[in-house]
Every structure is written in C-alpha cells, then in structure tokens.
Amino acid sequence: MLSCNKFFHIINTTLLAGHLALAQSPADRHPAYDAAQAGIPGIYPEATELKIAPTPDKRLFLGSPHPFHEDTVPTAVELKAWRGERSNCQLAVSAGYAQADLRVTTSPLRMGNHEIATSASMVRYTQAGQRITADIIGQENECRHAAGAHRAIWYEVNVPQHAEPGLYRGSITVTAPGCKPAVQEVSLEVLPAMLPAPKDWKIHLDLWQHPQAVARWHDVEPWSPEHFAIMRPLMKRLAEAGQKCITCTLLDEAWNAQTYDWFPSMIQWKKGRDGIMRYDYSILDKWIQFMHDDIGICGQISCYSMLPWHLSIQYYDEATETMTSVKAEPGKPEFEALWAPFLRDFHRHMQEKGWAGKTCIAIDERPDRMVREAMRLVKENAPTFRIASAVDKPSELTREVYNISPVITHAGTALGDLLRERKAAGKITTFYVCMHPLIPNTYTASAPAEAEWLGFFAAANHLDGFLRWAYNSWNRNPLQSTNFGYWSPGDCYLVYPGNRSSIRFERLRDGIEEYEKIQLLRARAAESPQAAEAIRTMDEQLAAIFTVERSNGNSHTADVLQARNIISDTLRQLNSTK
C-alpha cells in the first residue's frame, strides 16, 4: 500500500488487469499448514517423552532444531506485568510419537488466596517465503502432531486491573497418550502500577482495515448483517490494541489494485441526466457507525483519497447508463470541477453526522505539487476537514499537515524542534514501516522482538504513534501461506481469518503497552525533584537505545529486554520517592 516498494509502479496494465480478475475469484479454502500434516518428515528419532521449553524471542520454523538441538537445563517462565496488562510467552513442545495427540492446559496463577486466570493455545504454521513458520495463534488447545517436529504454544495472562501486586505462580502442562506429561513452571510478578483500559490509551495507532477481504474469505455479502457480525470480533481485537483510525474509501481502488481483494468505494458517485453529480453515503455511514459506535474506534476517520495512485474517479452516468472513469490530475480543470462540489457535499454530510471534526482526507505518498492542490481545495470547500499523509520523507509542505507519518528510516526528520512545534500546534506525528525496512518489521518471519521494538521507538522519540498499511488485507488463503506478489511474507496483514491473532500482532501490542507505560511514568515527573530526575534518566536511556541508526541492527531482543528493565527500575524509583 505505502509506496516504499517503488518497483511496484513498473507493473504494466496487463499484469494489473490479470490481478483484478484474480482479486474477484471465489474463496478457495485450504487446511492450514501444520506440523502434523502428512508427508512432513520427522527430523529426530522417536523419543519416549515430551519436552517443553520457553522460546519467547525466536521464530519456530518447521525443520529447525531450535530449541531442542542440544541438552538444555529447564528454565522457568518469569513474567512481569502491570495491573491491566496482557503478559504472554511462546513455548515449544517436542514429541517423539508419530501423530501424537497433544493437549495443553494451564493452571491459574496463584498467590495465597489470590488467583489470575491464564490460557494457552496451539500456534499454527503457515508458509513464509520458502519456510514454514509458526505464527497463527489458534483458538484450540489440542492438535494432532507429527513425530519429531516442534509445536509452538502461546501462553497468555490478562492481568485484572484490581489484581493484588505480588508474585504469582502456576504451570503449563502438555500431555499426549502414553507419555509422561511435560510441565513448565510459570511465575508472574504483578507490579504496583496500573494500565488504563485500551480505549483510554494515548497512542495514535493506525492499522488500515480492509472489510472486503473479510467478506470474500467468509463468503458473505459485503455490508450485510452477516458481514458485520464476522467483522465484530476482528475489529474489537484492533480496538483493544489502541486503534484510533477508521479506514474509509472515497473512490474505487485508491492504491491501484495492489491487494488480493478489491478496495471498492464506500461512496457511490452518480451523475444524473441533468449533469449534476450526486453521492450516496449509505455504505460509508454503516461502516463508520459500526466502527465508531459498536467497536469504539473514535479518534480519526481517514478517507482515501483525493490523490489516488491512478488519479481517476469512477462514477455511474445515468445518461449513458454506464460506468465512466475520468482522469482528475491536480492542477488540471477536471480536478477542481470534480472534487470541489464533492468536498462541499461530503463536508455537509459529515457535519450532519457529527463526524466532520474527526474527518481527514488521507493521502499516501503523493508529490508536493499534488498535495498542495488537495490542501487548497479542502481548505476552500471543507474547512473542518484536515489532512493526514503518509510520506517517505517529510518536505516543507507535507510537514504542515495535521497528521504526518514518515517511514521509520526518515523519522529523524520529524523529530527535535519540528516535533515540539507540531505538538504545540495539536498536530499528530507518527511513523510507519511497510516493505521497507526489512528490519525492524512485522513480517511472518520477523524476530518477535522487532514488533515490540516499534512501540518503544515511538515512545522513546516522543512520537504520537505508529502506522501500518494493512491490518487484514489477506491473500488467497493466509492460513496456508503469507506469500503474496512482490511483498515480503506477512506484509499485507497482521491477523488471520476467523479472528485469529498472530505472534507478531501480539508482540506489536506488547510494544504499545510499553508505550503507554512510558507516558504514565512521564506524567509523574511533577511529583517531586527526585521523580523528575528519574524520568529524565529514563528518557535519556531510552533515547540512546531506540534510534533510527540502531533500528536496522540485530539487537532488538536485547534492546527490548533492556528497555523493560529501565521501565521497571523507573517505576521502583518513583514509588520509593512517594
């Protein structure tokens, strides 16, 4: 979606036409890639026992010996969490029985008379490039498992906000018929601090939604009651990660058909026999009301786009009874003739709905000369609307927009005095990753810590949040493979059909929680001179770790662990000065 993948623009129209036909193919479901599939060879001799080990910051690939490639001393899972925080860990299980029926259960975490509920799920495998990767967090706690292969398990604890601080203990148990259970001890230290509910988080999270992908994969009519019912848990998951933006489309395929599913307009443009253009907002209204009122995503309505990559507007012409496409290039008479009346009518409509103050005309990496024309028309015809723009590198013009998001490798150009000026003016400044850079990122095969690193980067640099172009732009069957076109595997989505999460999405959410912790700690600087000094030290330490220059290194796991310790130390210092 974001044009850091510059080479996409050289694809010719013949290839695009073929892709569009593919995009409208019926769903073709396949069983998920799974370590238990027939034909996958075992990689170890059959064993007589189950083995379990924590492996929180390593990807599990089918055929890799990690983490059972050598004799290892069993280690405890030791977690720390604030009240109201979600804490988790990935573990691996090895079974020697052919087609072993694995089952995982967990005990509550206990401290005296206090208990905290826990859960564990099997992690499914999917293809990432040429490798089979554990990423899909399933909803089942048992599976049939191949001899010698490894099964990933996702362990999760949602700490209640009212939990008593202290050290809790519990266990994870994996069983298989005829085999001695494998038991993993777990401890969780609940710290004396509390995260608010996600609806109150400060981060400006903008993961772009794709409703059409949900309708296609689940074989339901777009915008039907069935469609909304299926989207509800998927979008609730997004809201519970701190999402602020609703992704809307003003016209067909603003990104020139680079996803598997079509991105249709949520507004129907119709030119009457009298030559007047009219606009049907019924689908848009349904979508916004669903996301805003039902799901609770209320921060920003992002409307794509006055500057689509194809610079065309498609409408139905009643006089000819055909769909017509008109090129509308900024600076040409057609641009103002088409967009000015639309903006006036759209502005009126959004004012009537009470949404105008949240509406942004969203722009995706367009040249300054085009952005300038769009900004002028918006100001003249829809003065309440604002501009949101994802850019490769901010320029003098794009820095003026209300919501700016440069790619992480150029995020340094939006820091320092410029960032302080933008904050003082009430503007939003975030950053993004897409196909660039390769590291850090949220690809299927990315090291899990990379996703969490991104939240720390935003917080350490006082940015307002994070943008990623695709929450759920699924390929033909993501449960089978995350490969699609020229994109790196997993670039197009962070979650899976059936409201299944992923290791990378959960670790991204971990980073968002860390972002919120840092904001809460900073708010305590006014408590005393000692508190101010503790926060100053924390900020200096984090700023030294989470830099643009260090972002593409290989130290993300160490950086995340160090930053977690810095936050815990700062909390302890602040509590001791009360």
Side-chain angles (χ1 to χ4, degrees), residues 2 206 363-365 388-394 398 401-408 411 414 422 428-433 465-468:
L2 297 167
D206 186 4
I363 296 170
D364 182 10
E365 293 192 344
S389 179
V391 295
D392 180 41
K393 181 179 180 180
T398 54
V401 304
Y402 164 67
N403 184 338
I404 191 76
S405 187
V407 68
I408 188 172
R422 289 181 57 80
I428 295 172
T429 311
T430 68
F431 77 100
Y432 72 81
V433 296
F466 174 69
L467 180 152
R468 191 122 184 21

Side-chain angles (χ1 to χ4, degrees), residues 52-56 74-80 87-92 109 153 155-157 167-172 183-189:
I52 187 170
T55 177
T75 58
V77 172
E78 297 177 342
L79 306 174
K80 288 184 179 182
S87 189
N88 49 54
C89 182
Q90 178 187 243
L91 300 100
L109 292 166
I153 291 172
Y155 178 75
E156 184 173 292
V157 185
L167 187 62
Y168 293 72
R169 298 187 184 279
S171 62
I172 305 166
V183 180
Q184 175 68 58
E185 301 298 325
V186 180
S187 67
L188 170 69
E189 183 181 0

Side-chain angles (χ1 to χ4, degrees), residues 10 69 122 124 131 191 246 266 320 329 352 359 376 389 435 441 444 463 466 468-469 504 520 577:
I10 66 172
H69 55 292
M122 297 297 180
R124 295 187 178 198
R131 308 184 79 175
L191 300 175
I246 305 170
M266 295 178 183
T320 62
E329 185 174 343
E352 290 174 356
T359 300
R376 177 183 65 82
S389 179
M435 272 194 65
N441 219 301
T444 320
L463 293 162
F466 174 69
R468 191 122 184 21
W469 77 266
R504 51 210 169 101
L520 290 168
T577 61

Side-chain angles (χ1 to χ4, degrees), residues 195 198 201-207 238 240-244 451-456 459 465-466 505-519:
L195 277 178
W201 290 356
K202 303 301 182 185
I203 193 166
H204 190 88
L205 181 64
D206 186 4
L207 306 181
L238 179 58
E240 290 169 1
Q243 176 75 6
K244 297 296 186 294
E452 187 170 344
W453 198 95
L454 298 172
F456 275 115
F466 174 69
F505 181 74
E506 293 302 321
R507 291 300 297 271
L508 178 65
R509 191 183 187 280
D510 288 346
I512 292 167
E513 288 183 322
E514 301 298 340
Y515 179 100
E516 297 302 318
K517 291 180 187 178
I518 292 168
Q519 308 313 313

Side-chain angles (χ1 to χ4, degrees), residues 267-293:
I267 299 171
Q268 304 308 310
W269 296 53
K270 183 184 291 186
K271 186 177 182 180
R273 296 180 185 278
D274 56 5
I276 297 175
M277 194 76 75
R278 295 176 176 86
Y279 317 95
D280 182 348
Y281 303 109
S282 55
I283 291 175
L284 180 77
D285 290 349
K286 283 184 181 180
W287 171 240
I288 295 175
Q289 285 168 349
F290 168 73
M291 293 292 281
H292 190 279
D293 301 336

Side-chain angles (χ1 to χ4, degrees), residues 267-534:
I267 299 171
Q268 304 308 310
W269 296 53
K270 183 184 291 186
K271 186 177 182 180
R273 296 180 185 278
D274 56 5
I276 297 175
M277 194 76 75
R278 295 176 176 86
Y279 317 95
D280 182 348
Y281 303 109
S282 55
I283 291 175
L284 180 77
D285 290 349
K286 283 184 181 180
W287 171 240
I288 295 175
Q289 285 168 349
F290 168 73
M291 293 292 281
H292 190 279
D293 301 336
D294 188 351
I295 304 301
I297 297 175
C298 305
Q300 178 176 306
I301 299 170
S302 302
C303 299
Y304 293 90
S305 171
M306 285 179 65
L307 301 176
W309 288 6
H310 48 62
L311 292 176
S312 298
I313 296 174
Q314 191 174 53
Y315 61 88
Y316 180 75
D317 191 330
E318 287 187 336
T320 62
E321 297 183 346
T322 59
M323 294 299 297
T324 301
S325 182
V326 175
K327 200 83 168 178
E329 185 174 343
K332 300 293 180 64
E334 296 85 358
F335 185 77
E336 185 158 352
L338 284 165
W339 282 109
F342 168 78
L343 285 170
R344 289 192 292 271
D345 192 77
F346 187 39
H347 187 251
R348 171 199 56 78
H349 178 78
M350 298 301 272
Q351 283 183 315
E352 290 174 356
K353 288 289 189 178
W355 299 329
K358 300 179 178 182
T359 300
C360 286
I361 300 300
I363 296 170
D364 182 10
E365 293 192 344
R366 300 288 81 196
D368 278 4
R369 64 178 181 82
M370 294 186 180
V371 178
R372 191 182 304 278
E373 282 296 302
M375 291 175 68
R376 177 183 65 82
L377 279 188
V378 170
K379 184 176 181 180
E380 292 175 358
N381 297 280
T384 309
F385 290 175
R386 292 177 286 195
I387 300 292
S389 179
V391 295
D392 180 41
K393 181 179 180 180
S395 67
E396 290 306 316
L397 174 63
T398 54
R399 291 180 183 189
E400 299 173 13
V401 304
Y402 164 67
N403 184 338
I404 191 76
S405 187
V407 68
I408 188 172
T409 49
H410 290 301
T413 60
L415 302 178
D417 290 340
L418 173 62
L419 180 60
R420 284 187 285 272
E421 291 170 8
R422 289 181 57 80
K423 285 182 178 292
K427 296 179 179 179
I428 295 172
T429 311
T430 68
F431 77 100
Y432 72 81
V433 296
C434 59
M435 272 194 65
H436 176 77
L438 292 177
I439 299 174
N441 219 301
T442 59
Y443 301 138
T444 320
S446 294
E450 291 179 33
E452 187 170 344
W453 198 95
L454 298 172
F456 275 115
F457 177 84
N461 291 284
H462 299 269
L463 293 162
D464 295 305
F466 174 69
L467 180 152
R468 191 122 184 21
W469 77 266
Y471 176 61
N472 69 306
S473 284
W474 297 323
N475 59 3
R476 187 172 188 174
N477 185 3
L479 297 180
Q480 182 186 36
S481 173
T482 56
N483 300 341
F484 178 69
Y486 293 100
W487 284 252
S488 297
D491 187 52
C492 301
Y493 46 89
L494 290 162
V495 293
Y496 293 87
N499 188 31
R500 295 177 175 93
S501 189
S502 69
I503 290 174
R504 51 210 169 101
F505 181 74
E506 293 302 321
R507 291 300 297 271
L508 178 65
R509 191 183 187 280
D510 288 346
I512 292 167
E513 288 183 322
E514 301 298 340
Y515 179 100
E516 297 302 318
K517 291 180 187 178
I518 292 168
Q519 308 313 313
L520 290 168
L521 293 176
R522 283 172 176 163
R524 296 182 60 180
E527 291 177 358
S528 68
Q530 293 87 351
E533 178 61 21

